[in-house]
Amino acid sequence: MSRILITGGSGFIGTNFIEKLLQEGHELCNVDVRAPALAHHRPAWRQVDILDKPALVDAVERFQPEWVYHLAARTDMHGATVSDYRANTDGVSHLLAALPASDALQRVVFASSRLVCRIGYQPRSDTDYLPTTPYGESKVIGEKLVRGHRHGAYEWLMVRPTSIWGPWFHVPYRNFFDAIRRGHYIHPRGQRILKSFGFVGNSIHQLSRLMQAPASAVHEKMFYLADHEPIEVRQWGELIRREFAAPPIRDVPMGVMQGLAKVGDGLSALGWKNVPLTSFRLDNLTTEMLHDTDNLHAVCGDLPYTAEQGVPITVAWMKQASS
């Protein structure tokens, strides 16, 4: 048993992770401005906004965690400027200021994002950044705050979640499942697209192993959080389609998809949110996204779930959530 504090524990990854940690018998504190999705998570919840620095310091001081997972963030793409993402910048700064309040602290995992670089770009080092969105820029600032901070005696590491999917997920990745379920998903004809995605059951396994690993393997290091084997998008879509017993996936010429994306761009400019297809989303879909997870594999070992196992778990949750 360990004393574990999680910021953002009411979110997608946090909900899955807290469920696992409760089953393992750990003592938990979920620091989040939102209430948990599950009623039995409420005893561990403390309503705190990470932008409220005194309240965050008080939460850390009272709980005295041994381990901290910083998952809290604003993750949507609707912000116009970096200042719209203060949770990802000032929130990190406030947590760094709060950590010395725990005399028991041993290790901290800071969650960043793969979008500190544009999709398809292979950074030359952990500090080679190329963001293309205000969200990505905010995550770069957060990483720099962590790297530049004068840390105490505790160990720290960083993870960059790629595209994580599974129970309790939200847009945009749930949109992919929903589009296939309704028979709306179209795939660019003849394109084989590989992506370093992660099933959330594997992600929480990896987060747990990273906290338990020897310091020499993780301290001051960065890990891309993804399954070790990339997903081929068309094959993944077919797994989802079969599980839903949904209509066949249609393969459409790339030129047609580009035209539809332009229409989506116009709708987005008019204020529509979550437009099914825009040029940005089409580029995200068709650009290979592969990340080196060898260091993660070395620390975490083999994963508990394959995509073939993760899809039925996710579809079952979606059916239950919509019933």
Side-chain angles (χ1 to χ4, degrees):
M1 288 182 59
S2 298
R3 294 173 61 82
I4 304 172
L5 184 143
I6 301 176
T7 70
S10 299
F12 161 42
I13 296 177
T15 297
N16 286 277
F17 199 25
I18 284 179
E19 185 68 9
K20 170 183 169 65
L21 295 173
L22 284 174
Q23 291 172 5
E24 293 176 350
H26 298 286
E27 189 173 353
L28 303 179
C29 177
N30 167 24
V31 171
D32 201 311
V33 70
R34 294 180 301 164
L38 296 171
H40 64 279
H41 290 190
R42 277 185 171 264
W45 174 50
R46 179 161 180 177
Q47 188 172 24
V48 173
D49 187 338
I50 59 171
L51 293 178
D52 185 343
K53 183 177 175 181
L56 187 58
V57 172
D58 183 67
V60 173
E61 186 172 27
R62 286 176 180 272
F63 187 66
Q64 290 293 302
E66 298 168 286
W67 298 351
V68 171
Y69 289 91
H70 179 51
L71 305 181
R74 177 178 173 179
T75 59
D76 67 85
M77 297 294 171
H78 302 313
T81 67
V82 173
S83 62
D84 293 322
Y85 293 91
R86 288 184 55 225
N88 306 349
T89 55
D90 294 348
V92 172
S93 179
H94 294 171
L95 179 64
L96 289 168
L99 291 174
S102 175
D103 296 328
L105 188 59
Q106 299 174 21
R107 186 172 294 179
V108 184
V109 175
F110 295 93
S112 180
S113 169
R114 64 174 172 83
L115 289 179
V116 295
C117 293
R118 66 171 172 80
I119 293 175
Y121 179 73
Q122 294 296 329
R124 293 163 293 181
S125 70
D126 291 349
T127 55
D128 179 18
Y129 299 115
L130 190 63
T132 58
T133 63
Y135 167 71
E137 292 176 29
S138 73
K139 284 297 190 175
V140 170
I141 293 170
E143 286 200 9
K144 289 182 176 180
L145 286 169
V146 172
R147 295 184 190 281
H149 186 70
R150 183 174 293 179
H151 296 270
Y154 60 87
E155 300 150 7
W156 65 269
L157 62 138
M158 212 176 293
V159 294
R160 290 178 184 168
T162 56
S163 297
I164 311 302
W165 56 278
W168 303 103
F169 62 169
H170 307 290
V171 295
Y173 307 112
R174 179 165 177 168
N175 286 355
F176 184 72
F177 278 70
D178 282 332
I180 291 174
R181 182 182 197 176
R182 296 167 184 153
H184 295 170
Y185 175 69
I186 55 177
H187 188 83
R189 182 176 294 164
Q191 293 214 21
R192 184 174 184 270
I193 307 162
L194 295 175
K195 301 280 190 179
S196 292
F197 283 3
F199 175 58
V200 71
N202 293 330
S203 302
I204 62 177
H205 166 83
Q206 291 164 330
L207 288 170
S208 183
R209 289 294 181 90
L210 286 169
M211 193 63 87
Q212 299 167 19
S216 59
V218 299
H219 183 43
E220 298 185 2
K221 292 181 170 57
M222 190 281 293
F223 301 85
Y224 278 98
L225 200 63
D227 292 354
H228 305 319
E229 295 296 326
I231 277 178
E232 200 288 308
V233 174
R234 184 63 171 76
Q235 294 175 1
W236 185 41
E238 186 59 24
L239 287 174
I240 299 166
R241 187 202 69 78
R242 289 202 302 264
E243 197 63 31
F244 276 125
I249 294 172
R250 289 166 291 173
D251 294 284
V252 176
M254 187 63 177
V256 173
M257 294 194 69
Q258 289 170 337
L260 293 172
K262 292 295 184 184
V263 173
D265 292 342
L267 294 174
S268 183
L270 291 173
W272 286 39
K273 291 186 178 181
N274 299 320
V275 176
L277 188 64
T278 62
S279 294
F280 177 77
R281 287 186 174 176
L282 181 59
D283 184 58
N284 283 357
L285 170 65
T286 57
T287 302
E288 281 202 339
M289 185 187 77
L290 299 174
H291 295 292
D292 185 356
T293 60
D294 286 351
N295 62 345
L296 185 69
H297 194 179
V299 173
C300 301
D302 293 338
L303 299 176
Y305 300 97
T306 63
E308 289 79 6
Q309 293 169 319
V311 166
I313 293 170
T314 305
V315 168
W317 171 80
M318 291 179 69
K319 289 178 177 179
Q320 183 180 21
S322 62
S323 62

